[in-house]
Every structure is written in C-alpha cells, then in structure tokens.
Amino acid sequence: MANLINLPVISDPRGNLSFIESDAHVPFSIARVYYLYDVPSGSVRAGHAHKALHQLLIAVSGSFDVRLHDGVSEERVTLNRPHVGLHIGPMQWREIDNFSSGSVCLVLASTPYDEADYIRDFDAFLARARP
C-alpha cells in the first residue's frame, strides 16, 4: 500500500540538495503545495481520505508517522528523511501523528483545495472503499 519515492539527492560537502519536478519525480502534476509545522505533541492531523487527489508527503525536517488504510488493510509508515516522499493516491484514509519536535511535513498535491473531494467520516470511507 505504501508507495515510497526516493527523490534525487545532490551531495555536496556544503550540504545536500534534493528537488522535485512535476510528472518526473512524482506521478502527477503539482497544483498545490502546503506544509504542517509546530504541531503540538500528541496531535493527530489529517483523518480523512480523498476521492481523486494525489499527494506526496515529505518530512523535510524531523519525523512523523502516517497511518494508511485502503478499506481492507492498514499500514503505518515513518517518514524521517527529506529525500523520501510517500505517495498517497485517492481513496486511502490517512492520519498523521507522532510528530517530532520541530518537524515539518511538506505536502505536494495534484489539485487545488476542493472540500468536495474530502471524505471525513471513516465509516463512510469504509462503505465506499470496500468492494
């Protein structure tokens, strides 16, 4: 279920550089970028699925866990390297927790914000996701 994507890394004694290009390093065109930061200890973010949206989550600083559920099985992925992204496709429930102090979760999204694309009730998601 988890689709980890290794991003390019240009190593240099002065520090490393990673980059992301639409349709090259991610399997979608990037239409929106946002990030989560200063998340209080013990908080859980996300708690929803998307009908059509694709996202790539990257821990650009610190670490956090992503719990994924496809309607049948569940998986937990720890993101803690700024050159590895987690691709989350449509119809995957996601919850993000266990944020380390100072962590930043960068999210690249395939569409602009659209509230109609969200499924915010887990039971409704299960009813729609299960075959």
Side-chain angles (χ1 to χ4, degrees):
M1 179 180 355
N3 184 15
L4 293 173
I5 296 174
N6 288 306
L7 301 169
V9 176
I10 298 173
S11 296
D12 186 291
R14 300 168 296 166
N16 296 330
L17 180 146
S18 289
F19 60 95
I20 305 162
E21 296 175 352
S22 286
D23 298 310
H25 303 113
V26 295
F28 56 85
S29 293
I30 300 166
R32 178 170 48 118
V33 177
Y34 64 94
Y35 45 95
L36 305 169
Y37 61 97
D38 291 341
V39 178
S41 178
S43 293
V44 177
R45 297 298 309 248
H48 60 266
H50 289 280
K51 298 171 190 171
L53 182 77
H54 287 262
Q55 294 180 317
L56 187 74
L57 279 64
I58 303 165
V60 294
S61 180
S63 65
F64 51 84
D65 293 340
V66 182
R67 183 177 72 101
L68 299 170
H69 200 297
D70 64 5
V72 177
S73 61
E74 183 177 312
E75 182 175 6
R76 182 175 287 274
V77 178
T78 298
L79 292 177
N80 58 9
R81 296 177 300 173
H83 65 278
V84 176
L86 174 63
H87 174 230
I88 303 175
M91 295 306 295
Q92 290 190 49
W93 187 267
R94 77 282 319 272
E95 292 181 356
I96 309 169
D97 64 7
N98 199 26
F99 288 87
S100 68
S101 178
S103 64
V104 178
C105 173
L106 177 69
V107 183
L108 310 178
S110 64
T111 64
Y113 176 80
D114 178 8
E115 181 60 34
D117 186 59
Y118 283 75
I119 302 171
R120 296 189 182 274
D121 179 85
F122 187 67
D123 290 333
F125 162 75
L126 288 178
R128 187 176 176 137
R130 289 187 177 150

